[in-house]
Amino acid sequence: MEVTSVVQLDQTKAKDEYPNLSLRPLQVSDVDDFMVWASDEKNYIKNIVVPHPWLRAICIDDRPVGAISVSANSGNDKCRGELGYVLASKYWGKGIVTRAVKMVVDTIFVEWPHLERLEALVNVENVGSQRELEKAGFQREGVLRKYFIVKGRSRDRVMFSFLSTDYQS
Amino acid sequence: MEATSVVQLDQTKAKDECLNLSLRPLQVSDVDDFMVWASDEKVTRFCTWEPYTNKEDGLNYIKNTVVPHPWFRAICVDDRPVGAISVSANSGNDKCRGELGYVLASKYWGKGIVTRAVKMVVDTIFVEWPHLERLEALVDVENVGSQRVLEKAGFQREGVLRKYFILKGRSRDMVMFSLLSTDYQS
């Protein structure tokens, strides 16, 4: 899941503009709000109906405007989880994703003590999304070439990560 | 260095390069050769698995994992298996990439065998799997020998993925390498 943000981000302004940002579980009764971004073609939506071990609605004034999730792995891959997010295009470019990501980072390593690495893969052209992650403290590790198929074509993805040890320091 | 030593070094190198190397499926009848590398803790140091201690486990591995594997070959010297090399397949939106893995009996280390085997795989896998665009390999940051194999085989180093994977109970930093079908053609 990804969001393409407009280039200018002004987080101070955004906090004043949307002081009441929260994360909560998505419910069946949210379906109308969900369809606002789910039917928006500007977004890439991946497996939103597949049950995620950790999925939260991103809410403004308790109304869902997007979603953020962390996937789990098993066995020798258990130390890492993948972060994904999607946001209704009306709310792009206001630093909302950065704030939501920081909220996830504040809680996921506590809820999942076995988690050591939170990673995110972003399309190379999606500069807005890359900046959201950098502002949230993620480290850019490299470009994985032709890593993943999106809409029928293989794409280069930028790998970002945030370690539980990054958080503590 | 003395002249005699230089000549001997050249002869050893030439001999290594003349080794009769081939790839073929690994069979149940190869289990004794398999046990030579699979039971060696030098070999398994960067593997997720512990050294094999009994032949029955080896037979089960060949029957249950090797035989049904999408692409698994024994690395053979004079048609005797001395190691193995494989490519894993993915499905759905991950279908464009496959992961390379290899293992070699320690007696045969340092002779360029794995580099040659990797090149053999690269020569064939993009033809056998036309949907494959990316061959990738993840190597432990401390496994410098294996990193050099991939560089010599033409792979590109993309970055270090921190605490990516658990090896023998501890999370490890892994170096990501890749070779694209388009790299191969050029």
Side-chain angles (χ1 to χ4, degrees):
Chain A
M1 287 193 288
E2 287 176 29
V3 64
T4 311
S5 299
V6 170
V7 174
Q8 280 180 331
L9 298 173
D10 187 337
Q11 287 196 20
T12 324
K13 195 177 167 202
K15 264 195 180 139
D16 296 335
E17 207 179 342
Y18 300 111
N20 189 17
L21 190 76
S22 63
L23 303 183
R24 64 159 173 78
L26 200 61
Q27 288 141 2
V28 171
S29 51
D30 293 321
V31 66
D32 291 328
D33 289 329
F34 169 84
M35 287 308 291
V36 170
W37 74 77
S39 59
D40 187 332
E41 282 178 9
K42 288 183 207 167
N43 286 289
Y44 300 116
I45 293 170
K46 180 180 105 172
N47 294 332
I48 203 160
V49 293
V50 174
H52 276 278
W54 204 97
L55 175 78
R56 299 288 182 274
I58 300 171
C59 296
I60 289 169
D61 300 324
D62 205 46
R63 289 285 299 278
V65 297
I68 190 161
S69 65
V70 182
S71 69
N73 288 303
S74 59
N76 292 325
D77 301 313
K78 217 175 134 103
C79 55
R80 67 179 192 274
E82 187 179 343
L83 179 75
Y85 43 81
V86 66
L87 188 70
S89 54
K90 173 182 171 187
Y91 294 96
W92 291 357
K94 299 173 192 294
I96 288 174
V97 166
T98 301
R99 287 170 63 193
V101 168
K102 283 180 170 176
M103 287 173 172
V104 171
V105 162
D106 280 346
T107 176
I108 198 72
F109 295 113
V110 176
E111 286 190 37
W112 291 0
H114 59 271
L115 191 74
E116 299 186 56
R117 171 188 173 88
L118 190 57
E119 63 183 23
L121 286 147
V122 183
N123 273 353
V124 280
E125 309 96 23
N126 195 343
V127 177
S129 193
Q130 292 167 40
R131 285 195 19 199
E132 301 262 22
L133 290 171
E134 279 159 4
K135 287 194 184 203
F138 276 63
Q139 193 167 306
R140 186 188 173 108
E141 290 175 335
V143 176
L144 309 186
R145 305 172 303 153
K146 295 199 176 175
Y147 192 71
F148 187 72
I149 296 165
V150 176
K151 298 196 161 117
R153 277 202 311 130
S154 60
R155 309 287 174 112
D156 294 353
R157 308 291 283 236
V158 187
M159 174 70 93
F160 286 88
S161 71
F162 193 105
L163 303 186
S164 55
T165 46
D166 291 344
Y167 178 63
Q168 287 149 28
S169 62
Chain B
M1 266 203 301
E2 292 177 22
T4 333
S5 302
V6 171
V7 168
Q8 282 175 347
L9 199 71
D10 284 347
Q11 283 179 349
T12 317
K13 194 177 171 205
K15 208 167 140 203
D16 290 345
E17 280 161 8
C18 287
L19 280 172
N20 180 20
L21 206 67
S22 61
L23 302 184
R24 64 156 174 80
L26 188 74
Q27 289 140 359
V28 168
S29 51
D30 294 319
V31 66
D32 290 326
D33 289 331
F34 168 82
M35 290 302 290
V36 169
W37 73 78
S39 60
D40 183 347
E41 63 178 16
K42 283 203 300 289
V43 170
T44 67
R45 182 178 165 207
F46 293 111
C47 296
T48 52
W49 39 279
E50 294 297 329
Y52 280 69
T53 51
N54 71 75
K55 197 159 142 175
E56 179 154 346
D57 287 345
L59 282 166
N60 285 334
Y61 174 74
I62 296 172
K63 272 188 288 196
N64 301 330
T65 303
V66 174
V67 168
H69 197 282
W71 207 96
F72 192 108
R73 300 287 182 273
I75 301 172
C76 295
V77 170
D78 298 325
D79 205 46
R80 290 286 297 278
V82 297
I85 190 161
S86 62
V87 182
S88 70
N90 287 302
S91 59
N93 291 326
D94 300 311
K95 215 172 135 99
C96 55
R97 67 179 193 274
E99 188 179 343
L100 179 73
Y102 43 75
V103 68
L104 188 73
S106 55
K107 172 180 169 186
Y108 290 93
W109 289 1
K111 300 176 190 295
I113 288 175
V114 177
T115 303
R116 286 171 63 190
V118 169
K119 285 177 171 177
M120 287 173 170
V121 170
V122 165
D123 280 344
T124 176
I125 197 73
F126 295 115
V127 176
E128 287 189 36
W129 290 0
H131 59 272
L132 191 73
E133 300 185 56
R134 170 188 174 89
L135 191 56
E136 64 182 21
L138 284 148
V139 184
D140 195 288
V141 281
E142 289 181 17
N143 195 347
V144 177
S146 191
Q147 291 168 39
R148 292 217 306 253
V149 162
L150 294 168
E151 280 158 5
K152 286 189 193 176
F155 279 63
Q156 194 168 303
R157 186 186 173 112
E158 289 174 335
V160 175
L161 309 186
R162 305 173 302 155
K163 295 199 177 176
Y164 191 71
F165 185 73
I166 296 167
L167 185 74
K168 300 188 157 101
R170 278 202 314 137
S171 59
R172 307 288 302 175
D173 293 353
M174 308 285 286
V175 187
M176 174 70 94
F177 285 88
S178 72
L179 186 90
L180 303 187
S181 55
T182 46
D183 292 343
Y184 175 59
Q185 287 148 26
S186 64

